[in-house]
């Protein structure tokens, strides 16, 4: 065993959790494999029924000509941007300053693809049409992350998306959707995946956020774009001999959870109210627009850890195992609703949040 | 179902096969998972017991300070070469003209890393000390693929390896081992993995060739090199939230097969003799130096397919499902010995090769 963190352990030792679909353990994979006969053949370097069928299914679902399964979204998105840059001959793209590409990928886009990002909007809000109009540099592609995860999962209005899409088409700028949490925003927009994706030239979606698979991503777009992305997938080392462990689980949990996103969204709205009713706690956004939001605790992280740990130990219901500092006086956690929230009784919810409120008051 | 190829189907429908460890089906993964309790936690972006324990085990096995698990060898090797190039400030490496990097990776090394390869030796033989001495360009790294897969798995002598290693150290050239089939050559060299790897600065090995896992690779070297390679792994999109399906199977089949490589090698030597006893058939190399070799049929591919298909259908024993043209008059297949060879009786072997010989004679 590696280092033990008593706060994280207190979360892991709870019997129920407010968030997520359950722990990321190997049963998640095993359950997905159970539907199959052991003699089912592996995919083979991008060919074979497992991968081809799933790619066709997702292309249709997203309303695109074609799609390709990637081991990671990091790989899928860098490749999408590279293709659009090469096509236009301009190595510049635009995205939010808190884009996954900017803060979680060790500058892969710059170091591998020599692509320069223009950062739009600021760290506290989403990209609006005005930010796009105000850009004075020529770019090949604009990437929109919906919802903007690092600010609690905020969204622009659908009208803004339509305006940005029209503007980009007019100006010859490709519009790419970072839809890591694409399924999770459809209930708020009241749109199908295919309607939303019609605004974009290329779309990435993930299978281990709201969907709860093991790993993996789909990149979708027109046939030529996807053809090129398969070549880049091989260059990146992502064209594995076997991707079926990810594909099978992606497909299995997609079928299980695609229709539950409306429930998760409603649950998130409800849970955010509970947090906002507590002293010195507020959620971002105040009213969630997807299954996710951030909870800001106006207290030092070490104090909040002690409070949450005591609630975990007393109630055996987990709130979070991942608390991060904003500064010395404020910390936050990310909440993503999944299957588990609905297993918690209203009585338990009131009891947890009464305790949390009392503890925060006593600080 | 996709396109049906009757020759491939005839191989798949056999009851036993001369080659490999069995079909690549999902039972391979399921068997590896069976040892575990479903509540075992996933690795998480490169951390966690599954991945850390396996990396430590493989570093020790290979005699290196540290190691990191990659989803693919393509990714691992490009990254190794990039690190050595950046360190020396020279974007040139040397390898064989039939290196995986040159012919199977869509020029990822050039297109992603801007590294220029110098091709040593020619397509019919392995790299010798003289090739290295004759290089007139300065390079950061020399990559040796042992065995050289595309020419049937040939090997230089161990003395040659020692001389090349000494020369490279003297000249400040890093030596990298493409050990996709590293385990498979140890019996011929009569060396431990750690002895062989001591000649190299960095080493890649694969877990789905002789080992027979699902996918994945280990890159090993000194601590700083591996630290840097983890950063590049994230840049490439290879730092998946969960790599455990590959790690668990890599570990499981490594434990099962690491000690069988001597047997596979002996079996390959025996099987090559059977092929060489047939009219118009020869193996490359004539006497294998690992568990693999190529079989050249001096006849047009369509004729050989018909012959092999009839033997598959008659004997229910599979020889190969993958025949490739050399030119209009010659074709070849690759043979890799695994667990299955020893399940075939000598009587069956004689019977198959009598038939094959008769059929080839009759052409």
């Amino acid at each position: 065993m590696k280092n033990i963190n008593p706060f994280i352990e207190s979360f892991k030792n709870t019997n129920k959790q407010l968030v997520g679909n359950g722990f990321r353990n190997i049963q998640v994979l095993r359950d997905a494999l159970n539907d199959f006969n052991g003699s089912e053949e592996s995919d083979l370097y991008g060919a074979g029924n497992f991968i081809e069928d799933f790619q066709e299914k997702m292309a249709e679902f997203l309303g695109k000509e074609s799609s390709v399964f990637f081991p990671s979204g990091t790989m899928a998105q860098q490749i999408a941007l590279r293709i659009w840059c090469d096509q236009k001959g301009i190595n510049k793209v635009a995205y939010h300053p808190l884009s996954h590409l900017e803060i979680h990928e060790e500058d892969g886009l710059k170091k591998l693809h020599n692509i320069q990002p223009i950062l739009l909007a600021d760290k506290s809000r989403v990209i609006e049409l005005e930010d796009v109009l105000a850009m004075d540099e020529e770019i090949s592609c604009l990437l929109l992350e919906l919802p903007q995860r690092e600010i609690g999962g905020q969204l622009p209005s659908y009208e803004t998306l339509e305006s940005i899409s029209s503007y980009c088409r007019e100006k010859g700028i490709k519009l790419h959707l970072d839809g890591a949490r694409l399924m999770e925003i459809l209930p708020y927009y009241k749109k199908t995946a295919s309607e939303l994706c019609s605004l974009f030239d290329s779309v990435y979606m993930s299978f281990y956020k709201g969907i709860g698979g093991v790993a993996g991503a789909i990149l979708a777009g027109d046939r030529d774009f996807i053809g090129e992305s398969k070549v880049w997938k091989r260059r990146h080392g992502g064209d594995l001999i076997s991707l079926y462990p990810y594909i099978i689980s992606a497909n299995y949990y997609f079928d299980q959870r695609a229709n539950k996103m409306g429930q998760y969204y409603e649950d998130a709205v409800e849970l955010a109210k509970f947090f906002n009713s507590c002293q010195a706690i507020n959620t971002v956004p105040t009213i969630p627009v997807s299954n996710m939001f951030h909870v800001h605790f106006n207290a030092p992280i070490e104090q909040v850890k002690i409070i949450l740990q005591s609630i975990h130990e007393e109630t055996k219901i987990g709130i979070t195992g991942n608390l991060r500092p904003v500064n010395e006086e404020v910390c936050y956690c990310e909440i993503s609703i999944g299957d588990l929230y609905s297993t918690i009784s209203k009585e338990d919810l009131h009891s947890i949040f009464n305790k949390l409120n009392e503890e925060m008051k006593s600080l």
Side-chain angles (χ1 to χ4, degrees), chain A residues 78 82 105 107-115 232 236:
Chain A
Q78 286 182 24
R82 174 67 180 257
E105 302 183 9
D107 281 343
L109 189 72
K110 300 165 203 169
K111 304 249 181 197
L112 285 169
H113 295 285
N114 195 29
I115 293 174
W232 281 106
H236 258 257

Side-chain angles (χ1 to χ4, degrees), chain A residues 41-278:
Chain A
E41 279 178 62
S42 172
D43 52 308
L44 196 69
Y45 299 114
N49 290 357
F50 274 135
I51 189 162
E52 292 174 47
D53 291 352
F54 188 62
Q55 289 172 170
E56 278 169 34
K57 172 177 172 174
M58 294 315 300
E60 192 176 353
F61 178 75
L62 298 170
K64 296 294 180 196
E65 278 180 11
S66 191
S67 91
V68 54
F69 190 84
F70 274 93
S72 75
T74 295
M75 196 184 290
Q77 295 207 107
Q78 286 182 24
I79 286 172
L81 298 184
R82 174 67 180 257
I83 292 170
W84 295 137
C85 282
D86 282 357
Q87 189 175 102
K88 193 166 179 177
I90 292 174
N91 276 8
K92 283 184 190 166
V93 297
Y95 53 57
H96 193 272
L98 294 176
S99 165
H100 196 272
L101 287 114
E102 191 64 13
I103 65 173
H104 290 308
E105 302 183 9
E106 295 280 1
D107 281 343
L109 189 72
K110 300 165 203 169
K111 304 249 181 197
L112 285 169
H113 295 285
N114 195 29
I115 293 174
Q116 186 194 326
I118 312 296
L119 306 181
L120 294 188
D122 66 50
K123 291 185 179 180
S124 66
R125 62 170 181 84
V126 299
I127 295 172
E128 298 289 351
L129 176 63
E130 292 65 37
D131 301 304
V132 182
L133 296 176
M135 237 190 321
D136 52 9
E137 300 210 55
E138 212 180 344
I139 59 167
S140 295
C141 180
L142 168 62
L143 176 150
L144 294 182
E145 181 186 344
L146 305 180
Q148 197 72 52
R149 184 243 182 132
E150 298 291 342
I151 49 175
Q154 298 182 44
L155 285 175
S157 72
Y158 200 75
E159 293 64 40
T160 295
L161 293 182
E162 289 176 315
S163 315
I164 290 176
S165 176
S166 297
Y167 176 80
C168 286
R169 281 193 183 153
E170 200 179 294
K171 295 289 178 186
I173 297 169
K174 297 294 181 183
L175 192 59
H176 172 80
L177 173 56
D178 177 343
R181 294 164 183 79
L182 185 156
M183 301 298 298
E184 293 88 321
I185 62 173
L186 300 177
Y188 173 76
Y189 281 139
K190 297 189 175 67
K191 299 288 175 189
T192 64
S194 150
E195 283 165 342
L196 175 64
C197 293
S198 71
L199 303 177
F200 295 84
D201 298 289
S202 53
V203 173
Y204 140 69
M205 76 173 276
S206 171
F207 293 92
Y208 66 89
K209 278 85 181 186
I211 298 294
V214 176
I218 276 281
L219 182 66
D222 68 38
R223 230 176 291 282
D224 286 351
F225 170 84
I226 293 303
E228 271 194 80
S229 75
K230 288 179 182 174
V231 175
W232 281 106
K233 178 181 167 189
R234 176 155 283 241
R235 288 177 181 145
H236 258 257
D239 190 20
L240 306 195
I241 185 168
S242 295
L243 282 166
Y244 71 83
Y246 301 136
I247 296 166
I248 287 175
S249 59
N251 189 46
Y252 179 81
Y253 293 106
F254 178 83
D255 287 349
Q256 278 199 3
R257 299 200 176 111
N259 292 323
K260 292 187 176 175
M261 297 293 160
Q263 185 62 51
Y264 299 164
Y265 165 47
E266 285 173 32
D267 291 346
V269 171
E270 178 180 283
L271 182 58
K273 278 187 199 150
F274 276 107
F275 278 109
N276 286 314
S277 71
C278 297

Side-chain angles (χ1 to χ4, degrees), chain A residues 284-304:
Chain A
V284 177
T286 309
I287 302 169
V289 290
S290 71
N291 75 325
M292 77 167 289
F293 56 88
H294 284 181
V295 182
H296 287 247
F297 301 86
N298 295 298
I301 189 165
E302 290 310 323
Q303 292 183 18
V304 178

Side-chain angles (χ1 to χ4, degrees), chain A residues 15-43:
Chain A
N15 299 328
K16 294 180 174 187
Q17 298 85 40
L18 295 181
V19 294
N21 295 309
F23 294 120
R24 293 186 55 83
N25 59 36
I26 71 172
Q27 195 58 38
V28 171
L29 174 59
R30 219 182 252 167
D31 287 346
L33 290 172
N34 270 344
D35 281 2
F36 290 93
N37 189 301
S39 65
E40 286 277 349
E41 279 178 62
S42 172
D43 52 308

Side-chain angles (χ1 to χ4, degrees), chain A residues 317-336:
Chain A
I317 298 175
I319 298 173
T320 185
N322 195 348
L323 209 56
R324 296 169 231 180
V326 173
N327 55 44
E328 289 195 355
E329 301 303 318
V330 181
C331 62
Y332 81 101
C333 69
E334 183 171 288
I335 297 290
S336 293

